[in-house]
Amino acid sequence: MKKHGLTEKEQGEALTVAAEIINIPYTFESQAPFRVWIDKDENIYVDIKSAGVGFRAELNYGDIGVATLKNNVDVPTSDDLMSLAEQLIDDDVQDFLLGFAMDAPMRDNGEYASSLREAYQAFTTK
């Protein structure tokens, strides 16, 4: 039987290593969010969370979820997590996400969130 995803321990280890490499404070044991700040003053950040198959990345503006950037099928391995974490600390990517978050409608933003996922994918694969 083929194994899908990582165990909770493997997810914790992958998140801890990624945090060390991109230099953010994080320990899996603390159960605090793995948060990559896009703009602290505006309270815009990406939370990366463990999920059933891998990791999920969500763009947030304060307490409001703007969009899911990557779902757990997009980021199934620790290598995928590292690639995503390194993308998120890139200045151009942060500027891109900041602009999208600042323009996001606060209600009924499903279509906007969908366009963000597509635009993010296109932007990060150029």
Side-chain angles (χ1 to χ4, degrees), residues 96-112:
F96 174 83
L97 292 173
L98 177 63
F100 247 89
M102 296 293 284
D103 291 340
M106 291 302 146
R107 296 180 194 271
D108 303 323
N109 73 347
E111 189 175 313
Y112 189 83

Side-chain angles (χ1 to χ4, degrees), residues 4-6 11 50-55 72-77:
H4 294 282
L6 303 171
Q11 286 178 337
S50 299
V53 174
F55 303 93
N72 59 10
V73 177
D74 297 326
V75 191
T77 69

Side-chain angles (χ1 to χ4, degrees), residues 79-120:
D79 289 343
D80 296 323
L81 170 65
M82 279 305 311
S83 176
L84 173 63
E86 288 173 342
Q87 275 180 358
L88 292 173
I89 61 170
D90 179 84
D91 289 339
D92 291 336
V93 171
Q94 289 201 348
D95 289 345
F96 174 83
L97 292 173
L98 177 63
F100 247 89
M102 296 293 284
D103 291 340
M106 291 302 146
R107 296 180 194 271
D108 303 323
N109 73 347
E111 189 175 313
Y112 189 83
S114 252
S115 69
L116 170 58
R117 282 189 289 278
E118 292 168 15
Y120 178 76

